[in-house]
């Protein structure tokens, strides 16, 4: 089957000499929910900018839904919906006008454009704001407006560059539900995010980019399976003055009621509870210190961590 | 006309027209007030002492030039400010991600600018009827030259906006180049009044050709051969449009 996105040896050097991409390869299957993760300045936005025709590429090839970016740019653009990181609409235009205008750029006649605008504004809970100037919207509404605008021509693939940045948890979760539904209906979704629990819960496949190179690409589950160590925090009854000696378990005192310990692959929580019992500790609760993807991300992208785990 | 390019083109034009109509206090009213002041001060008060110019009342002589001046500044100003605002707010990305060819983007913005230029020209023409009788000598010359001039300056405005990196950059050209060239382009005088060397220098000013050809269309007199004016207009249109297309193609000022 034709891939939704195929990137081969993509390079980009900006005019100031900064090498943003060092020949990356990236494949995204049709219908996938894919996350491109990386620290700030890693090359995520440059990659998506090139695919969206907002950044000139250096060398390499990009194909979207089988169409070559160099020779079939218009077809590539028709296949794509783009939600950029920064707000990029005319703040003096009304919400509905922004969508109808964008539909017009894709060749949708006014009647169909109005129907689509109504459909997506309703789906994204913005219909009652249709006559409001976009500058009057809240941050979360502006994000949803950009998603509605990107969908108005009903693209096969949606690119979202940090779609939930700066929105509250309730709106973020409603956006997750909307995107999950959209993906279930067949739209390929590629997103970048700094909320790693977002990528872990939404995306089936993940690529991690750092310093312009793809350093990991695999199904989310496989990536997490490869995670060798997880850190947990246990809250105990009573007061502790130092970390207890637990055989075969690396533990640290967090405060007088909490202990942090590392669990490597192959170690079971049952054994941990047994060790706590042997030490006379009454465990009240236990939780992961951070989410697993976040730990993996830090392991892969932080130099000191890379050296420590090497 | 349901071709996607036509729909995209009309969307751009509609957006541009809606923009300048929405802010009519900034776009349509000021040229009307400025030109009424010109009519009163230069046409009536000073013009009555100047007497005739090439056999016409001074008011009749300056009206075509003032209409042309308003068309030039507004066609230019509309595209330069609108396109730069789109760049500044990044809303130009809406067009860059869409399957709209560069020539459609160019034509859309240019026709938007031409619309405002002609709207202002029409307002100024209507206002001038309070001060003088206007009889059109040659309707085809009048319409063609005003349309081509508006296209030339709207395209120049787009090029200005592409290069501009801050709002000051879109005001420098109108202030330091466009306005002086317009004032020295025979709006208020006949170049035949100038010493021979200054007549020759004046003929390097393209606005002189546009003003005189438009004046020929209205009152039937011109300091220059009108075919030379058409030649110059075609040359400028071709050169500026090619340049603008090249800049859009390379993504200058738009794509990093």
């Amino acid at each position: 089957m034709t891939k939704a996105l195929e990137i081969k040896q993509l390079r980009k050097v900006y005019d100031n000499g900064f090498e943003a991409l060092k020949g990356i390869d990236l494949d995204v299957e049709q219908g996938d929910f894919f996350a491109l993760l990386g620290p700030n300045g890693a090359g995520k936005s440059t990659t998506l900018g090139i695919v969206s025709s907002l950044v000139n590429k250096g060398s390499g090839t990009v194909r979207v839904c089988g169409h070559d970016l160099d020779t079939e740019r218009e077809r590539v653009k028709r296949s794509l919906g783009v939600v950029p990181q920064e707000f990029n609409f005319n703040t003096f235009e009304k919400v509905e006008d922004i969508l109808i205008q964008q539909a017009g750029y894709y060749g949708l006649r006014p009647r169909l454009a109005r129907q689509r605008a109504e459909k997506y504004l309703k789906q994204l809970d913005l219909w009652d704001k249709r006559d409001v100037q976009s500058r009057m919207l809240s941050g979360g509404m502006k994000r949803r407006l950009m998603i509605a605008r990107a969908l108005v021509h009903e693209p096969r693939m949606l690119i979202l560059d940090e779609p939930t940045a700066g929105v509250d948890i309730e709106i973020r979760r409603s956006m997750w539900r909307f995107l999950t539904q959209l993906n279930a209906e067949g739209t390929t979704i590629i997103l970048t995010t700094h909320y790693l629990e977002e990528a872990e819960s939404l995306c089936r496949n993940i690529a991690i980019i750092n310093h312009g190179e793809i350093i990991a690409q695999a199904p989310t589950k496989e990536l997490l399976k490869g995670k060798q160590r997880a850190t947990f925090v246990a809250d105990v009854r009573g007061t502790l003055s130092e970390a207890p000696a637990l055989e075969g378990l690396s533990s640290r005192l967090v405060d007088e009621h909490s202990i942090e310990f590392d669990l490597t692959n192959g170690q079971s929580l049952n054994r941990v509870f047994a060790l706590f019992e042997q030490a006379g500790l009454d465990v009240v609760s236990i939780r992961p210190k951070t989410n697993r993807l976040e730990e993996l991300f830090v392991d892969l992208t932080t130099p000191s961590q890379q050296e420590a785990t090497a | 006309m349901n071709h996607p390019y036509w729909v995209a083109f009309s969307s751009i034009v509609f957006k541009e027209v809606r923009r300048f109509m929405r802010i009519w206090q900034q776009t349509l009213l000021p040229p009307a007030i400025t030109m009424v002041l010109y009519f009163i001060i230069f046409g009536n008060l000073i013009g009555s002492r100047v007497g005739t110019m090439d056999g016409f009342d001074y008011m009749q002589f300056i009206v075509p030039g003032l209409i042309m001046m308003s068309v030039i500044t507004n066609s230019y100003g509309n595209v330069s400010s609108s396109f730069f605002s789109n760049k500044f707010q990044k809303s130009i990305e809406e067009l860059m991600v869409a399957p709209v060819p560069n020539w459609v983007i160019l034509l859309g913005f240019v026709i938007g600018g031409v619309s405002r230029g002609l709207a202002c020209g029409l307002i100024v023409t209507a206002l001038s009827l309070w001060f003088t009788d206007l009889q059109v000598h040659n309707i085809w010359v009048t319409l063609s030259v005003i349309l081509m001039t508006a296209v030339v300056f709207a395209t120049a405005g787009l090029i200005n906006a592409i290069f501009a990196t801050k709002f000051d950059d879109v005001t420098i050209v109108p202030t330091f180049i466009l306005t002086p060239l317009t004032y020295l382009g025979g709006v208020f005088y006949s170049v035949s009044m100038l010493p021979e060397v200054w007549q020759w220098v004046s003929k390097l000013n393209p606005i002189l050709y546009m003003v005189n050809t438009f004046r020929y269309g209205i009152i039937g007199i011109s300091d220059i051969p009108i075919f030379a004016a058409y030649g110059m207009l075609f040359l400028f249109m071709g050169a500026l449009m090619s340049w603008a297309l090249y800049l859009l193609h390379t993504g200058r000022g738009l794509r990093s």
Side-chain angles (χ1 to χ4, degrees):
Chain A
M1 193 166 71
T2 312
K3 289 191 167 55
L5 177 65
E6 251 185 296
I7 291 176
K8 298 250 180 289
Q9 284 303 301
L10 186 62
R11 290 177 191 279
K12 172 69 185 176
V13 180
Y14 284 102
D15 290 343
N16 62 6
F18 175 68
E19 190 176 14
L21 297 175
K22 300 171 180 169
I24 63 164
D25 295 329
L26 196 65
D27 286 344
V28 179
E29 299 294 337
Q30 299 264 7
D32 200 358
F33 206 135
F34 188 93
L36 182 60
L37 307 177
N40 287 332
K44 306 183 297 288
S45 294
T46 299
T47 306
L48 298 186
I50 290 171
V51 175
S52 319
S53 298
L54 293 174
V55 175
N56 287 327
K57 75 178 173 71
S59 61
T61 60
V62 175
R63 295 179 75 83
V64 175
C65 300
H67 306 301
D68 188 277
L69 185 67
D70 293 326
T71 57
E72 301 169 280
R73 191 175 287 268
E74 279 189 33
R75 285 176 187 271
V76 167
K77 287 178 171 182
R78 280 188 197 287
S79 308
L80 276 180
V82 182
V83 182
Q85 196 173 332
E86 293 176 44
F87 301 129
N88 70 342
F89 42 75
N90 185 329
T91 48
F92 295 100
E93 294 277 351
K94 290 179 184 169
V95 167
E96 190 178 19
D97 289 343
I98 289 173
L99 262 69
I100 293 172
Q101 188 73 38
Q102 189 69 12
Y105 295 160
Y106 284 86
L108 272 64
R109 282 171 285 156
R111 195 170 150 198
L112 180 59
R114 277 193 295 274
Q115 286 172 0
R116 292 278 180 84
E118 182 178 346
K119 177 182 171 184
Y120 288 104
L121 287 177
K122 281 181 174 169
Q123 285 190 13
L124 284 147
D125 294 328
L126 288 170
W127 182 240
D128 59 338
K129 300 285 181 191
R130 62 189 179 278
D131 291 323
V132 173
Q133 281 191 344
S134 59
R135 69 197 168 97
M136 306 302 287
L137 299 179
S138 68
M141 288 176 181
K142 286 175 180 167
R143 291 257 164 235
R144 282 182 281 152
L145 171 59
M146 292 207 296
I147 294 176
R149 185 186 58 183
L151 291 171
V152 80
H153 63 289
E154 301 196 331
R156 293 164 69 187
M157 184 163 94
L158 183 65
I159 289 179
L160 304 115
D161 197 355
E162 297 189 28
T164 53
V167 302
D168 67 43
I169 189 69
E170 193 183 337
I171 293 172
R172 194 184 307 165
R173 286 183 191 281
S174 78
M175 282 165 72
W176 289 3
R177 282 194 295 276
F178 176 78
L179 293 174
T180 305
Q181 176 65 28
L182 191 71
N183 178 245
E185 289 164 5
T187 307
T188 306
I189 297 179
I190 300 178
L191 64 78
T192 72
T193 180
H194 283 296
Y195 301 111
L196 298 180
E197 76 277 16
E198 182 167 280
E200 187 175 346
S201 60
L202 290 176
C203 300
R204 286 189 287 280
N205 290 287
I206 285 176
I208 298 177
I209 185 170
N210 197 19
H211 301 302
E213 292 172 302
I214 300 287
I215 53 174
Q217 184 179 356
T220 312
K221 284 179 184 167
E222 257 179 51
L223 263 182
L224 294 172
K225 235 188 264 172
K227 176 86 188 76
Q228 294 299 311
R229 178 176 53 90
T231 305
F232 289 83
V233 177
D235 298 317
V236 298
R237 212 181 298 279
T239 305
L240 297 167
S241 55
E242 59 180 13
L246 303 169
E247 191 191 338
L249 203 65
S250 161
S251 65
R252 298 164 295 279
L253 190 68
V254 178
D255 58 42
E256 56 186 14
H257 302 295
S258 308
I259 304 160
E260 185 179 289
F261 61 92
D262 299 327
L263 202 64
T264 53
N265 273 0
Q267 286 183 310
S268 80
L269 275 173
N270 286 350
R271 184 171 168 271
V272 174
F273 283 122
L275 288 172
F276 274 108
E277 201 165 0
Q278 281 171 20
L281 296 171
D282 189 7
V283 178
V284 177
S285 66
I286 193 164
R287 62 183 188 277
K289 186 183 179 189
T290 53
N291 89 351
R292 294 174 303 162
L293 185 59
E294 192 168 321
E295 289 182 5
L296 177 75
F297 181 81
V298 172
D299 284 352
L300 288 172
T301 58
T302 309
S304 58
Q305 291 286 336
Q306 283 172 321
E307 285 157 19
T309 53
Chain B
M1 293 289 273
N2 291 331
H3 193 284
Y5 292 169
W6 171 256
V7 178
F9 166 76
S10 39
S11 296
I12 299 170
V13 173
F14 181 68
K15 184 183 176 190
E16 287 302 291
V17 171
R18 192 174 57 202
R19 188 193 78 92
F20 77 71
M21 294 297 279
R22 186 176 62 224
I23 49 169
W24 60 271
Q25 304 94 325
Q26 298 169 44
T27 53
L28 302 178
L29 191 60
I33 293 172
T34 309
M35 290 306 157
V36 166
L37 290 173
Y38 275 121
F39 291 144
I40 294 170
I41 296 165
F42 286 93
N44 268 358
L45 302 179
I46 298 174
S48 60
R49 291 165 188 260
V50 172
T52 60
M53 186 81 70
D54 288 343
F56 287 87
D57 284 350
Y58 189 61
M59 178 69 91
Q60 281 181 308
F61 182 85
I62 65 167
V63 161
L66 290 174
I67 295 170
M68 186 57 104
M69 191 162 129
S70 138
V71 170
I72 288 172
T73 50
N74 284 285
S75 305
Y76 190 96
N78 194 72
V79 184
S80 62
S81 65
S82 172
F83 196 86
F84 183 71
S85 296
N86 275 281
K87 259 176 64 171
F88 187 76
Q89 291 198 67
K90 290 182 176 284
S91 56
I92 195 70
E93 290 178 1
E94 292 177 336
L95 269 170
M96 289 163 63
V97 300
V100 187
N102 292 326
W103 61 268
V104 173
I105 297 175
L106 172 64
L107 283 184
F109 274 95
V110 166
I111 297 304
V114 168
S115 304
R116 176 168 149 197
L118 295 185
C120 290
L122 211 60
I123 291 168
V124 173
T125 306
L127 290 170
S128 72
L129 296 175
W130 288 92
F131 299 93
T132 185
D133 288 331
L134 271 188
Q135 285 173 355
V136 178
H137 172 74
N138 186 323
I139 186 75
W140 302 114
V141 170
T142 305
L143 292 178
S144 61
V145 79
I146 202 125
L147 191 65
M148 289 168 78
T149 303
V151 168
V152 164
F153 282 95
T155 312
L158 184 86
I159 293 169
N160 186 176
I162 287 174
F163 281 103
T165 54
K166 52 189 186 298
F167 277 103
D168 288 349
D169 296 341
V170 289
T171 58
I172 284 172
V173 175
T175 307
F176 294 104
I177 299 175
L178 215 54
T179 306
L181 284 181
T182 311
Y183 278 89
L184 296 171
V187 172
F188 297 103
Y189 58 88
S190 165
V191 282
S192 60
M193 295 164 63
L194 300 175
E196 206 162 308
V197 64
W198 287 110
Q199 284 189 37
W200 187 86
V201 171
S202 292
K203 284 175 182 169
L204 297 175
N205 177 2
I207 293 178
L208 177 80
Y209 293 76
M210 298 165 192
V211 167
N212 270 276
T213 309
F214 187 63
R215 184 175 287 136
Y216 173 82
I218 301 277
I219 59 176
I221 57 163
S222 171
D223 290 333
I224 47 97
I226 64 163
F227 287 109
Y230 277 110
M232 183 163 279
L233 278 165
F234 276 115
L235 188 74
F236 270 95
M237 272 201 305
L240 290 174
M241 286 216 158
S242 304
W243 190 15
L245 273 177
Y246 170 75
L247 292 171
L248 288 172
H249 175 72
T250 56
R252 168 92 192 215
L254 302 172
R255 281 194 295 269
S256 45

